[in-house]
Amino acid sequence: MAKAKETKPAPGRFAYEGLERAIHEKARLGIMSSLMTRPEGLSFNELKELCDLTDGNLNRHLEVLSEAGLVTVRKQEGTGRGRTLCKISSQGRTRFKEYLEELERVIADAAAASAAGQRLSAT
Amino acid sequence: MAKAKETKPAPGRFAYEGLERAIHEKARLGIMSSLMTRPEGLSFNELKELCDLTDGNLNRHLEVLSEAGLVTVRKQEGTGRGRTLCKISSQGRTRFKEYLEELERVIADAAAASAAGQRLSAT
């Protein structure tokens, strides 16, 4: 007789397709999070400090985010030295929220796995 | 008179140093999550299907995880064709949990930012 089967997770169950690559990279995740906290934008130097990045790295990651339509980067000319203002775009906000929903699934999966592991070790 | 200052976040506040690179990559995050759900291990083919990866990609990512001490990969010879068994290591379990704690901080930061944004738009 066939023995009782465990419920088998669906193919691709752990592919986490919702983790958009442009956002998921660690430094860019930090940049997006910083910009979420400041809808009015952050200067290049503020971002650099908050995310602990070099000029070169921050530039490179802002380029990726900006090409993906997630942020806007604008040189502000004015009194004194120019200042670069970085802002999350409205599309960026929406996509970051979708990204976070997938991240919550990752955590929920791990929590479920951890609970199952505890049940196993208790038997 | 100096106007009331916003509390300024500390330098590196959004660097998320706890997001270990070996784990954070999207495919490897899926592999680690799958293996967490199955302490007794998963076969190469099961992992491939769950994470929706090609042979080449899965091989490459398992190599990274195994070199980092996060998983073990063992060829099982036996009756019939060989089978490759992949398991999360005990160190891998601990480090994955630490990784998840940092991930929870990312989500908490975004939730706080989102709540602050709603307060702003309500005024």
Side-chain angles (χ1 to χ4, degrees), chain A residues 6 8-19 21 24-27 29-31 33-34 36-40 49-52 96-97 99-100 103-104 106-107 109-110 113-114 117 120, chain B residues 6 8-19 21 24-27 29-31 33-34 36-40 49-52 96-97 99-100 103-104 106-107 109-110 113-114 117 120:
Chain A
E6 289 179 40
K8 201 183 159 190
R13 173 65 185 78
F14 295 95
Y16 297 131
E17 287 304 336
L19 296 182
R21 286 202 186 269
H24 188 61
E25 196 283 332
K26 177 171 132 167
L29 187 50
I31 297 171
S33 295
S34 313
M36 272 293 271
T37 67
R38 286 276 291 264
E40 71 280 21
E49 192 177 290
L50 285 173
C51 301
D52 201 12
F96 191 49
K97 282 182 184 161
Y99 169 86
L100 290 165
L103 222 49
E104 279 171 2
V106 174
I107 290 175
D109 284 346
S114 191
L120 272 178
Chain B
E6 289 178 41
K8 201 184 160 190
R13 172 65 183 79
F14 294 96
Y16 298 129
E17 288 303 337
L19 296 182
R21 285 203 187 269
H24 187 62
E25 196 281 333
K26 179 172 130 167
L29 186 50
I31 296 170
S33 296
S34 312
M36 273 293 271
T37 67
R38 286 275 291 264
E40 72 279 21
E49 189 177 290
L50 285 172
C51 301
D52 201 13
F96 190 50
K97 282 183 184 161
Y99 169 86
L100 290 166
L103 222 49
E104 278 172 2
V106 174
I107 289 175
D109 284 347
S114 190
L120 273 177

Side-chain angles (χ1 to χ4, degrees), chain B residues 83-97:
Chain B
R83 184 173 175 266
T84 299
L85 187 73
C86 312
K87 269 190 188 181
I88 192 164
S89 68
S90 111
Q91 199 196 127
R93 187 170 290 272
T94 307
R95 279 156 64 194
F96 190 50
K97 282 183 184 161

